[in-house]
Amino acid sequence: MQSSPLPAWIGKFNRREIEILHLIADGMSNREISQKIFLSLDTVKWYNKQLFAKLGVNNRTQALKIAGRYRLIQSVPDAQGEEKFHLDNSLPAPLTSYVGRRREIEEIRTLLRVNRLVVLTGAGGTGKTRLALETASQLVDTFRDGVRLVDLAPLTKQEQILEALARGLKVTAAGEPALLEIIKKYLSRKHVLLLLDNFEHLLDAAPFVTELLTSAPRLVVLATSRERLRVYGEVEYPVWPLSIPDPNSREQIQKLTDYEAINLFIQRAKAARPELDFDEENISAAARICQRLDGLPLAIELAASQAKLFPLPALARKLEHSMEALPDGPRDVPARQRTLQATIGWSYDLLKTTEKRLFGRMAVFGGSATLEAVERVCGVDLTGKVSDVLFALVNKNLIFTREGKDGELRFWMLETIRDYSGRLLRTSGEYEILRQRLIEYFADLAEKYEKEIHGPRHVYWNARMHAEHNNLTPILESELPDPWPIARLRVIAGLAEHWFINARRDNMHWLTPALQLAMDAPVDLRARVLQTAGEIYRYLGDQTRSEELLRSALALFEQI
């Protein structure tokens, strides 16, 4: 960008005068300028007089007005005397291309036009920092005084924020008594975008952001945090994982590359192994990998680095078995971002004791859960109100909510977070008792279903059991010997109508072990299980097996 032509009455400026003009625009006093550029105070005053004379003004305010009009404080001559556009920008230069998020970037830019505090929130690994940096880099020209980045992640105490902010703004105390007042005074004259990255562990200090905004009318703040700051004027923008295909749908291979997560994986995998050919098999494997990793950018980049070691179908199988197949990230990134486990662990470590207990217990569910289920299965002996603790985890983006087709609010985890939670549960010593509570809860629920399914609320109960599919499957597929066979058989018997409607050969492999369990069950329960199995086999088209089971059930009912 070139500066406007100067009127003939404005004198020519040397490099030192332009430098001092910029420092004046930054709000520095003559003493601060002398300390910054190592000139005596008298010399700085002399330069001021030269500037005022050449601009035809008598004071700083008038000088900045004229300089701004002719863009003198946005063009700095280089060593050869040529003018270059200058804005103070502390954003790091990206080392890799940015993939996707075009809609999100435009939405955040729109928010920043009308709001002065926008906070990007989301789970660890969703790419909040990179999204904020990409958005801010596109706004450098929008802010007269540029963009400043302050990374809060290395800080351990909220008292360190002001010092970090001063460094990011290049403000020195210069013997002044209160650093906050110096920063506020400095920003009061600035039109700047301040990017505060990784705020989640310093939330008690968030009110200082409001203080800065009220004292600096042209300051705009973009922050990232795993939960919102909860201050006045804040606008929250949730950052979700990259788009991935629905695992239950079968999309054409050529359409899979339209998904942001798969596109990111392809680019990073090719960087690791340039000769890699993304044929139909490899694209399909990439889709499975991205689905398993929830579309999390961090996890996808870690997985893509393995493309030079494993064929992609093999890598997909490894990840389906365990997230431990993900490698460590680059050495030059912070430790909390080097592995997916460390990223989630960063959020976990910030939780209160009760929140940690409930977070670990939530892994007992194979899918989403209602509040009632969480209270019944996970809330026993938990300190505090379960709903309050649960919603605290929702606010911290470790658990998410959605409304089921039955109208119930359901709580769920990303699979990557569930994997971390599951490790906690397996080492907590609580797994067996929680598993028992889970099966007993669904046994009671199945019997409610059995009573209600032919009544006026049959639509609700059909939708409810569809929503519970991922919870029912692990209950039914437990390996023998089973410590709670009666409760499992109650689930099977109570949901006879559900199995009849939804039975498929590829998801009924639990039926044979269940019939073995029923041999030792009380006679009334055994009869109901045999009847259920008979109806399922009839639906599947095995009439011989169906008649055999139904006749056995009838004999038991007659005996009863």
Side-chain angles (χ1 to χ4, degrees):
M1 185 181 293
Q2 300 295 322
S3 56
S4 303
L6 299 176
W9 53 266
I10 292 185
K12 294 184 178 180
F13 300 87
N14 59 39
R15 183 175 179 80
R16 179 65 81 181
E17 289 169 341
I18 290 293
E19 181 183 19
I20 290 177
L21 188 58
H22 274 84
L23 296 175
I24 292 173
D26 284 343
M28 287 191 177
S29 66
N30 288 340
R31 185 175 299 280
E32 289 170 337
I33 292 173
S34 70
Q35 293 175 343
K36 184 173 182 64
I37 61 178
F38 304 103
L39 292 178
S40 69
L41 182 59
D42 289 336
T43 301
V44 172
K45 291 179 178 178
W46 181 84
Y47 272 114
N48 278 347
K49 291 179 181 179
Q50 298 300 308
L51 286 170
F52 294 169
K54 291 180 179 181
L55 291 169
V57 299
N58 298 316
N59 56 53
R60 283 183 166 213
T61 302
Q62 295 172 345
L64 292 176
K65 184 177 180 180
I66 296 297
R69 180 182 304 168
Y70 296 103
R71 306 185 69 82
L72 287 172
I73 55 175
Q74 290 184 310
S75 57
V76 181
D78 63 12
Q80 287 73 40
E82 298 177 353
E83 289 191 342
K84 292 184 177 179
F85 184 75
H86 169 77
L87 282 174
D88 196 346
N89 172 21
S90 62
L91 300 180
L95 299 177
T96 57
S97 61
Y98 192 74
V99 178
R101 304 282 201 193
R102 292 182 180 179
R103 176 183 57 81
E104 290 92 333
I105 290 172
E106 187 53 43
E107 288 176 350
I108 296 168
R109 291 183 61 169
T110 300
L111 287 175
L112 289 169
R113 292 189 192 107
V114 294
N115 301 280
R116 296 180 58 215
L117 174 57
V118 176
V119 182
L120 309 187
T121 62
T126 52
K128 298 183 296 297
T129 294
R130 190 71 191 274
L131 176 59
L133 290 172
E134 183 66 21
T135 304
S137 69
Q138 297 184 20
L139 293 173
V140 170
D141 294 350
T142 305
F143 291 84
R144 185 195 70 191
D145 299 301
V147 179
R148 311 290 179 87
L149 168 66
V150 179
D151 183 10
L152 304 178
L155 310 185
T156 58
K157 301 177 181 178
Q158 63 184 56
E159 293 81 8
Q160 298 172 316
I161 291 183
L162 288 180
E163 295 176 2
L165 186 57
R167 288 193 299 271
L169 297 173
K170 300 177 183 177
V171 173
T172 56
E176 298 288 343
L179 185 54
L180 177 58
E181 294 306 314
I182 295 171
I183 293 173
K184 287 163 61 175
K185 180 179 178 182
Y186 171 79
L187 289 173
S188 66
R189 302 188 184 97
K190 296 296 181 184
H191 181 215
V192 64
L193 175 64
L194 180 60
L195 174 50
L196 300 176
D197 194 25
N198 300 299
F199 215 127
E200 56 270 356
H201 61 304
L202 300 168
L203 292 175
D204 288 342
F208 102 93
V209 178
T210 305
E211 194 171 350
L212 291 180
L213 289 167
T214 55
S215 63
R218 302 201 69 193
L219 170 66
V220 177
V221 175
L222 175 62
T224 70
S225 175
R226 300 194 184 184
E227 61 178 302
R228 61 191 185 91
L229 307 189
R230 289 187 294 172
V231 295
Y232 185 75
E234 170 187 23
V235 175
E236 181 181 7
Y237 186 89
V239 178
W240 294 95
L242 297 173
S243 61
I244 55 175
D246 184 347
N248 296 319
S249 66
R250 296 183 178 180
E251 298 200 47
Q252 297 177 347
I253 292 296
Q254 58 268 29
K255 291 186 177 181
L256 291 179
T257 54
D258 293 338
Y259 289 93
E260 293 174 328
I262 298 175
N263 195 1
L264 174 63
F265 181 88
I266 290 173
Q267 290 199 27
R268 299 299 187 257
K270 278 186 169 292
R273 186 180 165 194
E275 73 279 7
L276 183 61
D277 178 29
F278 274 89
D279 55 15
E280 182 173 330
E281 182 183 31
N282 280 341
I283 291 178
S284 179
R288 287 163 52 202
I289 290 169
C290 292
Q291 289 165 341
R292 174 69 172 114
L293 300 177
D294 299 310
L296 289 178
L298 172 62
I300 289 170
E301 297 205 18
L302 292 175
S305 69
Q306 296 290 80
K308 61 185 176 183
L309 300 177
F310 302 100
L312 296 191
L315 179 59
R317 289 192 295 271
K318 286 173 66 69
L319 288 171
E320 285 169 0
H321 181 261
S322 173
M323 293 287 182
E324 293 179 359
L326 289 176
D328 291 354
R331 295 187 182 93
D332 56 348
V333 300
R336 63 185 178 81
Q337 295 177 339
R338 209 165 292 161
T339 67
L340 182 61
Q341 186 172 358
T343 297
I344 301 173
W346 167 267
S347 296
Y348 176 77
D349 290 340
L350 297 175
L351 299 178
K352 299 175 182 177
T353 301
T354 304
E355 294 168 351
K356 288 181 178 179
R357 290 192 71 187
L358 182 57
F359 173 72
R361 291 177 173 185
M362 286 294 291
V364 74
F365 294 102
S368 61
T370 63
L371 176 59
E372 176 194 50
V374 175
E375 290 176 332
R376 169 91 174 266
V377 177
C378 303
V380 179
D381 71 16
L382 197 69
T383 304
K385 194 175 180 181
V386 176
S387 58
D388 291 342
V389 182
L390 187 58
F391 280 104
L393 294 173
V394 171
N395 289 333
K396 292 172 170 61
N397 286 288
L398 287 169
I399 292 177
F400 304 91
T401 62
R402 63 168 174 250
E403 185 177 329
K405 292 182 179 180
D406 56 0
E408 296 277 359
L409 184 65
R410 304 192 69 86
F411 299 85
W412 60 281
M413 289 178 167
L414 295 172
E415 285 303 310
T416 44
I417 295 177
R418 182 189 303 282
D419 184 80
Y420 185 94
S421 176
R423 296 183 197 183
L424 295 173
L425 180 59
R426 287 191 293 272
T427 59
S428 68
E430 294 187 320
Y431 176 76
E432 294 298 325
I433 186 63
L434 287 171
R435 177 82 174 154
Q436 180 180 0
R437 290 178 194 159
L438 178 76
I439 297 175
E440 289 176 349
Y441 170 78
F442 279 103
D444 291 345
L445 191 68
E447 290 172 352
K448 287 182 182 178
Y449 169 90
E450 187 177 23
K451 293 176 182 177
E452 299 276 354
I453 190 57
H454 295 295
R457 300 190 68 205
H458 64 278
V459 174
Y460 165 83
W461 281 103
N462 270 326
R464 175 67 184 274
M465 284 306 145
H466 274 289
E468 302 293 358
H469 174 75
N470 289 336
N471 288 316
L472 296 172
T473 300
I475 290 176
L476 299 177
E477 294 180 351
S478 295
E479 295 182 1
L480 298 174
D482 192 320
W484 308 288
I486 300 302
R488 277 187 65 204
L489 292 175
R490 287 172 58 207
V491 172
I492 294 168
L495 296 179
E497 185 85 9
H498 176 74
W499 308 131
F500 181 73
I501 295 172
N502 299 284
R504 296 197 315 268
R505 290 191 183 277
D506 61 352
N507 67 6
M508 291 289 115
H509 43 270
W510 49 264
L511 194 51
T512 299
L515 290 172
Q516 294 175 4
L517 280 179
M519 298 303 294
D520 298 321
V523 64
D524 58 336
L525 182 56
R526 191 190 328 157
R528 291 170 61 216
V529 172
L530 291 175
Q531 180 185 8
T532 298
E535 296 289 357
I536 292 174
Y537 277 111
R538 181 164 66 89
Y539 181 82
L540 295 175
D542 190 339
Q543 294 295 352
T544 301
R545 182 62 169 154
S546 174
E547 283 193 28
E548 176 188 344
L549 291 167
L550 290 175
R551 288 181 185 279
S552 298
L554 181 58
L556 291 174
F557 281 125
E558 290 175 341
Q559 176 183 334
I560 295 172

